[in-house]
Amino acid sequence: METNAIQQPTETAAASVYTPDQFLQSWLGQRRVTRRLIEAFPQEALFNYSIGGMRPFAEMVKEIISMSSPGVKGLVTNDWTPIAGLDHHTGKVEAHSKNDLLRLWDDATEAITTYWAQIPAERFQETVLAFGQYEGVANSIIQYIIDNEIHHRGQAYVYLRSLGVEPPAFYERS
């Protein structure tokens, strides 16, 4: 008797791990952790402290902000700002205090949720040319944006620990 323990997917089966809403909720959980990290920074260190030639965390946050909501908007509109035109490259992200940065963070999060609701499910599997130069499947582009946030957040954890500040738990996403 022959058994096939692994069932091969059929062409009609939908390939997914997350629903679009689960994907968004996971990302928003990551954003809540990053927001708490911004809150944990001493004001002066947020804009001026660095280690080993890395940028201050405020500069990293500006990059995250300028890629996140424009990335989701690009999926909806297919109108992508070229990477060199993003606000963190042009200096258009105006934030001179922690409160400014948190306000911009919250505005970007609101834009993400607003645009996300407009993305048709099939769009996540389409190939796009993000920011005028990154070709890939849409869900992979979003995953890159999330990974970039987590990468910079890791740098911020090192900064905070070197400043003697206990960072928020990375696993507490609520």
Side-chain angles (χ1 to χ4, degrees):
M1 182 164 143
E2 185 177 317
T3 61
N4 185 357
I6 300 175
Q7 182 86 23
Q8 296 298 319
T10 64
E11 288 185 36
T12 58
S16 70
V17 175
Y18 284 144
T19 65
D21 187 59
Q22 288 169 325
F23 193 17
L24 174 62
Q25 294 311 313
S26 177
W27 185 10
L28 293 176
Q30 295 292 345
R31 290 185 64 80
R32 286 188 290 271
V33 175
T34 304
R35 189 182 197 288
R36 284 195 294 277
L37 205 60
I38 297 166
E39 291 172 333
F41 259 84
Q43 172 75 31
E44 185 66 22
L46 182 60
F47 289 88
N48 298 308
Y49 188 73
S50 69
I51 298 173
M54 293 188 295
R55 296 173 288 166
F57 187 49
E59 294 304 313
M60 296 177 204
V61 171
K62 290 175 185 180
E63 176 186 316
I64 296 165
I65 290 168
S66 75
M67 290 183 73
S68 57
S69 57
V72 177
K73 181 181 178 185
L75 288 180
V76 172
T77 65
N78 210 32
D79 182 19
W80 295 88
T81 301
I83 200 79
L86 290 176
D87 290 347
H88 71 285
H89 281 292
T90 63
K92 291 181 185 174
V93 180
E94 290 285 330
H96 303 289
S97 69
K98 185 189 304 189
N99 286 338
D100 289 347
L101 209 53
L102 289 168
R103 180 185 46 76
L104 291 170
W105 186 264
D106 294 342
D107 291 349
T109 301
E110 184 176 328
I112 289 166
T113 57
T114 297
Y115 282 110
W116 193 276
Q118 300 172 47
I119 303 172
E122 62 275 5
R123 179 70 167 152
F124 290 100
Q125 300 303 319
E126 294 175 7
T127 299
V128 298
L129 185 61
F131 305 112
Q133 68 186 53
Y134 302 114
E135 184 173 328
V137 177
N139 65 8
S140 296
I141 298 298
I142 295 298
Q143 190 61 60
Y144 171 81
I145 293 168
I146 296 167
D147 290 347
N148 185 59
E149 176 180 335
I150 294 167
H151 161 72
H152 288 313
R153 192 170 70 216
Q155 293 171 300
Y157 274 87
V158 172
Y159 284 4
L160 284 177
R161 290 195 185 280
S162 74
L163 290 164
V165 176
E166 181 65 26
F170 72 90
Y171 51 83
E172 180 52 55
R173 297 183 187 165
S174 58

